[in-house]
Amino acid sequence: MELTNFIALSVIVVAALGIGMGTMTWAYSGKGSISVLFKEPILNSPEFPDTDSGRKAAAYFQAGIEAYQSGKYRKAQDKFTSALAQISGLAEAYHNRGLIFANLRSDGEAVADLIRASELYQEQGNGSAIDSIKQNLAALKQRKLEREKQK
């Protein structure tokens, strides 16, 4: 009888751990970690220099746009990060990556990238892009306030 109780208890513990780990995995990397606030990327393409780094950055940027539009936010994040590794001053890449972070519920990283994009837009004198970022930040703030109300 003791062996039967041990086996039954072991099965229950393993099932509980499996459910718990599955739930955590779903919340971290599955649909539970996504809250689409920004459905469309910024499609304005920056000027890329006619260099090897410029061509690579352009390819990564375009791949990021395509992944974003397909809802593959983690892949898009990686592509924009790769574009920024080639050319660090791409305001549009920071802007898109900020929107992606927001969709992945990483609001702190989203705000940091959106602020960096606004600084680069300011250097370019791109007022309409700065207005867009202000709207993005306001939407993030509104979502945060709604979450706090639900608690």
Side-chain angles (χ1 to χ4, degrees), residues 68-141:
Y68 191 121
Q69 291 173 324
S70 298
K72 298 175 182 170
Y73 299 116
R74 292 190 198 290
K75 180 178 180 182
Q77 174 192 338
D78 291 342
K79 296 301 179 182
F80 287 118
T81 299
S82 295
L84 289 166
Q86 295 297 316
I87 300 174
S88 63
L90 300 173
E92 294 83 354
Y94 279 108
H95 196 162
N96 279 322
R97 197 172 70 172
L99 301 179
I100 290 165
F101 279 133
N103 289 347
L104 293 174
R105 296 185 180 193
S106 297
D107 291 353
E109 291 160 306
V111 169
D113 270 5
L114 291 173
I115 289 172
R116 180 65 182 131
S118 71
E119 293 168 350
L120 292 167
Y121 286 141
Q122 181 70 35
E123 291 173 12
Q124 298 169 3
N126 190 341
S128 63
I130 293 171
D131 290 340
S132 175
I133 290 206
K134 287 178 183 178
Q135 292 172 359
N136 299 148
L137 290 169
L140 275 169
K141 181 179 178 182

Side-chain angles (χ1 to χ4, degrees), residues 13-32:
V13 168
V14 168
L17 287 173
I19 291 170
M21 292 298 288
T23 301
M24 288 179 10
T25 301
W26 176 80
Y28 178 73
S29 62
K31 293 292 183 186

